[in-house]
Amino acid sequence: PNKQIDLCSKFGGLIKSPTCPDGVYMVYVKFFTNSGIASEVVSQKVNLVTGSLPSSQPTSSVPSSPISPVFTKNLYLGVQSADVRRLQKLLASLPEIYPKGPVTGYFGSQTRKAVQKFQLKYQVVKSKNELGFGVLGVKTRAKLREVLGGNF
């Protein structure tokens, strides 16, 4: 499969921009294995020139793979990691849970609120006062795998 890159939208495509000025853009990509192991960041300058491409010129694309919902560590407020970035991407696939949430790799208050919404919606916790509310712990990781598991 291929992945098209949206040069002009912000926050990983969460904020769409209908127009994009011509110019040079730096594209940063990180690839993940099915088990969630990240590659080094790969970057490439891209020169955007609007208009139609000649029919003989193929468009460039980057292969994509599904994002693994399998986590082996607890994630909580203050953690910064590739796992948090992956969690944020998964939560962003549920717009009612993480609308316009940033994908930064930092588990901040917005990510915690999204985890809390997920926990309440999928009945991982019964109340906001329950231990583990807002933490991606064992029960929440299992429910995330169940809800977003797909081929994992």
Side-chain angles (χ1 to χ4, degrees):
N2 293 317
K3 171 94 173 145
Q4 293 184 348
I5 298 173
D6 183 345
L7 295 174
C8 298
S9 296
K10 296 179 183 177
F11 300 111
L14 293 174
I15 299 176
K16 298 289 183 192
S17 176
T19 60
C20 192
D22 288 355
V24 177
Y25 294 83
M26 181 64 80
V27 177
Y28 298 91
V29 179
K30 187 179 269 194
F31 299 96
F32 291 87
T33 66
N34 285 342
S35 58
I37 298 171
S39 72
E40 295 296 318
V41 174
V42 179
S43 63
Q44 177 74 42
K45 284 185 180 178
V46 176
N47 186 21
L48 177 66
V49 179
T50 55
S52 60
L53 291 172
S55 60
S56 63
Q57 185 175 352
T59 58
S60 177
S61 59
V62 176
S64 70
S65 60
I67 300 169
S68 171
V70 178
F71 293 88
T72 57
K73 299 177 195 167
N74 290 351
L75 300 175
Y76 45 86
L77 192 64
V79 172
Q80 185 167 0
S81 69
D83 279 346
V84 173
R85 180 178 289 278
R86 189 163 47 92
L87 170 64
Q88 290 167 330
K89 288 179 182 179
L90 289 166
L91 292 171
S93 73
L94 303 167
E96 71 281 7
I97 300 290
Y98 199 48
K100 299 182 185 176
V103 178
T104 62
Y106 178 73
F107 197 119
S109 61
Q110 287 181 293
T111 306
R112 181 176 61 185
K113 286 177 187 172
V115 169
Q116 291 169 339
K117 283 183 186 178
F118 180 88
Q119 290 172 322
L120 290 170
K121 177 176 181 168
Y122 293 100
Q123 301 174 348
V124 177
V125 296
K126 293 181 172 107
S127 77
K128 295 177 180 183
N129 299 323
E130 195 169 322
L131 186 64
F133 185 57
V135 173
L136 188 77
V138 175
K139 289 185 203 176
T140 309
R141 293 190 329 240
K143 184 57 78 170
L144 195 65
R145 252 190 329 271
E146 179 186 322
V147 172
L148 297 173
N151 297 323
F152 296 96

